[in-house]
Amino acid sequence: MLTIEKGSFPKDFLWGSASAAYQIEGAWDKDGKSPSVWDKFVRIPGKTFKGTTGDVAVDHYHRYKEDIALMAEMGMKTYRFSIAWTRIYPNSMDEVNQKGLDFYQDIIDVCLENGIQPMITLYHWDLPQYLQDAYRGWESRQIIEDFEKYAVTLFKEYGNKVKYWITMNEQNIFTRLGWQSAQHPPGLSDEDKLHYQVNHHAFLAHAKAVEKFHEIVADGMVGASFAFHPSYALDTKPKNVLAKHDFDDLKNYWWMDVYAYGRYPRAAMKYLESKNIAPKIQAGDFELLKSASEKVDFMGVNYYRSDVVEHNPEDGVDNSGIVNVSGKKGTSTETGMAGIYKSPLNPHLPTTDWDWTIDPMGLRIGCREITSRYDLPIIISENGLGAFDKLEEDKSVHDPYRIKYIQEHLKQIKMAIDEGSDIIAYCTWSFTDLLSWLNGYQKRYGFVYIDQSEYESNPSLNRYKKDSYYWYKNIIETDGEAIWE
Ligand code: BGP
């Protein structure tokens, strides 16, 4: 509609970057921390690219002051990071680990001293292994109570200093990869019924945390971050348009409708019931989901790509396609749900070396959709480009592709704001390079290059600013005006 292509962002816009504990901290067994499901999973041969682990990651645990100093020098306004549950309640849900609490307290303080608003993610996939062993983690309703206790501990500890809180990171991704395609812990495949049950428990855990949040944190904002895949029907064939609606109900609204309305999309629920894979729902569950949905303050959006949707015959492709974790372009294969939809590549858009479609306008379309459907403020909690970067001899890193990627996405965000979307923050993924769960260290996302690699035995872990670092600094300084240059 509106195409105001110039101008700056609101003065209080939160320019930021995001990370996750397992992907940056390292120190996997230090200061009382216990193993998470990821610490165990990465030790299973063949699960990660060249067997990479987060044992050391990028050693943020010991270098967070240096990393936050780099953020401050850049002028960043917010830093989104996750807390490792295994540092807070390492051995049981009855005993808090003071060293774990102190570690994050200091990160928060150092951020605030530098004018950076901390944005905390409670859960970015690193469940304590002892909870997995005790009752299979998310598969049991016991997790709801334990998650609530963990959340309340953090709200009480940090709520006087931290305003922005994210309950769950990409519940749709960790449950799909954990229970349908075996790529994440607990490594199960084709467990469709369990997948929806696990999701139901995660929704209830999120809802319990949200219910407690506003009682404890004055003036805070809480929501969940969802990996949103805005979709396009392949063409005007009604079959493909219907497949797009099915895709949206099953892949997008199944999560966002619960966060925002406390209910599941009807057609999707009917489908799951017909296949006998619908979650078991107990008395009071919907009341809780509904009540929490009214207290949610924003929709967190992690956006990397859009999807094309085409009808998929009964004997068509399923979830088990090849995923490109090597960065060899064109090696992934089509996936979908047999009998419902499949997702062919978009012939109009370029892809990354890992075959992810690059679609800046898709983000604007997604924000518009959220605004129309939910009318909630939006936090873009992740967006970025995974690429091979090269550290030159003079220690510079030239990454014009990353600059272009972020610039084009920011232009679309600005237009979405002009069109009425209430977008309050933008966090790139990520600030420094870090461990990509399945793709090792070679898939780099940061503004700051880190000398860490799966190909060397003792990399220095030194930090080097990339060209994109200076570029984003200027974007922040100009309140976004410089995206138009
Ligand atoms: C999101 C996750 C992040 C991050 C990012 C990039 O799904 O929330 O933790 O990993 O994707 O993905 P990848 O590392 O697979 O390239």
Side-chain angles (χ1 to χ4, degrees):
M1 272 182 231
L2 267 184
T3 43
I4 301 169
E5 295 212 352
K6 293 270 149 58
S8 54
F9 282 62
K11 284 271 172 239
D12 55 356
F13 190 76
L14 292 168
W15 300 95
S17 283
S19 69
Y22 186 71
Q23 296 177 275
I24 58 166
E25 286 179 4
W28 77 288
D29 57 354
K30 294 283 172 340
D31 293 335
K33 178 185 171 297
S34 67
S36 73
V37 289
W38 270 94
D39 288 311
K40 185 163 178 200
F41 189 72
V42 293
R43 289 175 164 70
I44 303 170
K47 284 296 182 190
T48 63
F49 181 68
K50 302 220 176 280
T52 40
T53 74
D55 289 4
V56 176
V58 293
D59 199 30
H60 180 74
Y61 191 78
H62 298 110
R63 298 171 197 237
Y64 65 93
K65 288 192 176 145
E66 181 185 351
D67 292 341
I68 298 170
L70 286 165
M71 292 176 202
E73 187 188 328
M74 186 195 243
M76 246 169 59
K77 306 287 184 224
T78 188
Y79 171 43
R80 173 186 173 222
F81 60 93
S82 79
I83 291 190
W85 191 336
T86 49
R87 293 195 194 281
I88 307 299
Y89 284 106
N91 303 310
S92 82
M93 286 306 297
D94 297 326
E95 204 187 333
V96 187
N97 176 27
Q98 192 57 43
K99 283 195 175 153
L101 289 176
D102 293 347
F103 171 61
Y104 296 107
Q105 189 71 256
D106 206 38
I107 289 187
I108 291 164
D109 288 342
V110 178
C111 280
L112 291 172
E113 281 157 21
N114 284 288
I116 300 168
Q117 288 287 330
M119 185 183 290
I120 289 182
T121 311
L122 298 179
Y123 187 74
H124 203 126
W125 308 350
D126 44 357
L127 184 78
Q129 181 64 41
Y130 70 87
L131 294 181
Q132 183 66 25
D133 295 339
Y135 53 76
R136 294 202 56 81
W138 293 103
E139 292 172 28
S140 160
R141 284 183 76 103
Q142 176 63 40
I143 194 76
I144 303 163
E145 193 183 305
D146 286 343
F147 184 81
E148 182 187 4
K149 182 167 187 185
Y150 164 63
V152 166
T153 302
L154 300 181
F155 296 155
K156 286 190 174 154
E157 191 72 20
Y158 309 128
N160 59 340
K161 295 181 181 171
V162 178
K163 176 166 179 184
Y164 303 96
W165 293 78
I166 290 165
T167 54
M168 296 274 161
N169 181 69
E170 297 188 354
Q171 186 187 315
N172 54 329
I173 301 296
F174 86 78
T175 54
R176 176 165 64 80
L177 301 188
W179 283 268
Q180 290 188 319
S181 67
Q183 291 164 287
H184 279 199
L188 301 178
S189 54
D190 301 323
E191 291 287 350
D192 291 338
K193 194 173 172 66
L194 209 44
H195 164 262
Y196 287 104
Q197 195 61 44
V198 157
N199 268 289
H200 189 62
H201 299 158
F203 284 130
L204 293 167
H206 150 89
K208 283 272 187 190
V210 169
E211 285 288 309
K212 281 282 157 58
F213 181 78
H214 289 292
E215 287 169 23
I216 304 169
V217 183
D219 297 330
M221 292 182 81
V222 70
S225 277
F226 177 68
F228 186 20
H229 291 227
S231 70
Y232 311 128
L234 177 68
D235 55 28
T236 49
K237 279 190 198 131
K239 250 183 167 182
N240 292 335
V241 175
L242 183 63
K244 176 210 156 30
H245 284 277
D246 290 345
F247 176 94
D248 285 341
D249 271 359
L250 284 161
K251 305 298 282 188
N252 287 322
Y253 305 149
W254 187 267
W255 286 269
M256 291 198 291
D257 281 10
V258 179
Y259 297 139
Y261 295 139
R263 59 168 160 75
Y264 290 115
R266 281 187 200 196
M269 184 57 104
K270 290 274 180 206
Y271 171 76
L272 299 192
E273 283 166 359
S274 76
K275 296 275 175 195
N276 199 23
I277 55 174
K280 269 197 216 117
I281 292 158
Q282 292 190 4
D285 286 359
F286 280 127
E287 286 74 9
L288 171 62
L289 295 176
K290 175 99 187 95
S291 165
S293 72
E294 285 157 8
K295 301 183 178 91
V296 154
D297 299 295
F298 59 85
M299 188 68 78
V301 174
N302 291 1
Y303 176 77
Y304 290 90
R305 53 183 159 179
S306 56
D307 264 279
V308 171
V309 184
E310 183 181 8
H311 172 71
N312 190 15
E314 284 296 341
D315 59 353
V317 291
D318 59 17
N319 231 329
S320 61
I322 296 169
V323 180
N324 171 358
V325 292
S326 64
K328 289 194 187 96
K329 213 169 176 154
T331 52
S332 55
T333 59
E334 208 169 76
T335 56
M337 271 175 89
I340 304 199
Y341 73 85
K342 59 182 170 180
S343 297
L345 270 184
N346 191 326
H348 308 290
L349 294 170
T351 54
T352 72
D353 286 330
W354 280 262
D355 298 330
W356 293 21
T357 300
I358 301 176
D359 180 14
M361 195 179 280
L363 178 53
R364 175 170 161 206
I365 293 167
C367 289
R368 289 272 303 271
E369 190 175 352
I370 289 174
T371 302
S372 298
R373 193 173 173 100
Y374 306 114
D375 201 17
L376 279 170
I378 297 171
I379 286 180
I380 312 284
S381 39
E382 285 180 33
N383 173 238
L385 176 69
F388 293 105
D389 291 331
K390 184 164 176 274
L391 184 66
E392 305 289 347
E393 268 178 25
D394 66 358
K395 307 299 181 203
S396 59
V397 177
H398 306 303
D399 56 348
Y401 35 87
R402 182 167 294 106
I403 292 174
K404 180 159 192 283
Y405 180 100
I406 296 174
Q407 181 174 18
E408 293 307 315
H409 283 78
L410 283 171
K411 285 181 185 170
Q412 297 296 328
I413 291 174
K414 172 66 171 62
M415 289 187 244
I417 293 174
D418 289 343
E419 290 166 332
S421 287
D422 183 11
I423 304 172
I424 60 175
Y426 174 73
C427 294
T428 66
W429 184 266
S430 49
F431 181 69
T432 63
D433 289 341
L434 39 67
L435 173 67
S436 173
W437 303 94
L438 305 179
N439 312 279
Y441 292 99
Q442 65 169 9
K443 189 178 187 187
R444 296 177 180 274
Y445 279 94
F447 293 126
V448 175
Y449 184 97
I450 296 191
D451 179 25
Q452 168 63 304
S453 160
E454 49 274 342
Y455 296 103
E456 284 169 57
S457 50
N458 266 319
S460 69
L461 296 164
N462 285 342
R463 275 76 171 139
Y464 303 100
K465 295 169 194 163
K466 303 180 191 177
D467 288 354
S468 56
Y469 177 96
Y470 301 101
W471 177 82
Y472 197 53
K473 183 174 194 297
N474 185 44
I475 296 300
I476 299 173
E477 269 165 17
T478 61
D479 293 318
E481 183 96 44
I483 57 170
W484 306 111
E485 283 165 11

